[in-house]
Amino acid sequence: MKKTMIAAALTLALLAPLSNGHAFAAAPFTDIGGSSAQSQIEALQAQGIVHGVTEEEFQPTASLSGAQGVSLIVRSMQLSLAAIDFNQAPTAEGYFSNVSNTAWYADDFVIAKANGLDIPADIDPKQPLTREQFAYWLVQGLEKTGQYPLIKMYININDEADLTVAYQGAIQRALLYKLTSLDADGNFKPKAIVTREQAAAMVYEAVQFVAAHKDSGAGQAPTE
C-alpha cells in the first residue's frame, strides 16, 4: 500500500501542471519573447519542470500562487517520499487546513511538508507568494538534495529590515548560492509578489547549482 501511494505521488509530482491542470505542452510558449527569463523558461519547459497557464501561454508577469510555487519546487528539486517512513500514509488535509486531498497540487504539498519545507498549516494555496516566501522554500528544497559548500560571508541587504526574521538566513544563502540577486539599489524587495518569470529564473539557477555540484561530486545526500 505504501509503495503504491509513493509511486502515485511521484507520478503526480512529475505530471501536475504549474497552474490549472493542462498537460505539459511541448510547443514553445507564445508570450515569453519579451521576458527577461525567456531562455530559463524555455530550458525548464524542455525538462518538463515548468508548464503554462494555458497550452500556449506562460504568463511570465503573472503572480505565482502558493500551489504553483510549491509544485515547482518539488518538481525541480525532485523531492519525493521514497526515503521517508510513515506509520500512516500522510495526506494533504492531514497537514494543511486549506489544501484538499483532491487538489492537483495535493501530493506536492505532502511531499514538500514531509521533506521539511516550512509551509504554514493554514496556507491558502491560491494566494500569491512573496519573493521572500518563495526564496525561503526554494533554499530549503535545494538543501534537501545534498550538502553543499558555502562561503561564510554576510551580504548587506539595504532593505533587510523588511525581511521576515525567520527567513533571513535562507535569503542570505539564496544570494550566496546565486539563485537570485539584489536590485541595483541593493534591495531584495522581500514583500513584493514574485512573478512566474522571477520564480522560473530562480528555479533555473537552483537546478543548475545542483547539477553542477553533483557532477563535481561536491553535493552529498544530507544525513537525517
Side-chain angles (χ1 to χ4, degrees), residues 16 57 95 145 147:
E57 295 183 348
Y95 281 142
T145 69
Q147 296 177 331

Side-chain angles (χ1 to χ4, degrees), residues 27-110:
F29 296 123
T30 61
D31 61 346
I32 61 173
S35 172
S36 60
Q38 178 180 357
S39 61
Q40 293 96 323
I41 294 168
E42 290 174 340
L44 293 175
Q45 184 193 22
Q47 297 175 59
I49 294 174
V50 300
H51 303 270
V53 173
T54 70
E55 291 185 356
E56 296 181 347
E57 295 183 348
F58 183 75
Q59 295 188 10
T61 60
S63 60
L64 185 81
S65 71
Q68 295 168 355
V70 170
S71 182
L72 182 55
I73 292 168
V74 167
R75 283 200 307 271
S76 64
M77 295 296 98
Q78 299 181 37
L79 303 181
S80 76
L81 303 177
I84 304 174
D85 291 324
F86 302 98
N87 293 325
Q88 183 176 352
T91 65
E93 292 175 10
Y95 281 142
F96 304 99
S97 57
N98 298 310
V99 180
S100 168
N101 289 337
T102 60
W104 65 260
Y105 46 82
D107 291 302
D108 292 325
F109 272 75
V110 170

Side-chain angles (χ1 to χ4, degrees), residues 127-199:
Q127 290 299 308
L129 297 179
T130 62
R131 282 173 49 80
E132 66 173 2
Q133 284 177 309
F134 184 72
Y136 178 53
W137 294 337
L138 180 58
V139 167
Q140 290 182 329
L142 181 151
E143 292 175 345
K144 280 295 177 179
T145 69
Q147 296 177 331
Y148 302 104
L150 186 66
I151 299 173
K152 292 184 178 181
M153 181 178 68
Y154 173 79
I155 297 178
N156 183 57
I157 303 173
N158 283 345
D159 57 353
E160 186 173 33
D162 296 334
L163 285 171
T164 298
V165 174
Y167 297 169
Q168 289 180 348
I171 300 304
Q172 283 284 329
R173 298 198 301 281
L175 294 169
L176 290 170
Y177 291 141
K178 298 184 178 180
L179 307 186
T180 187
S181 60
L182 304 176
D183 67 14
D185 297 318
N187 296 314
F188 183 74
K189 298 181 179 178
K191 298 299 191 290
I193 298 301
V194 67
T195 65
R196 288 166 57 83
E197 65 183 352
Q198 290 170 343

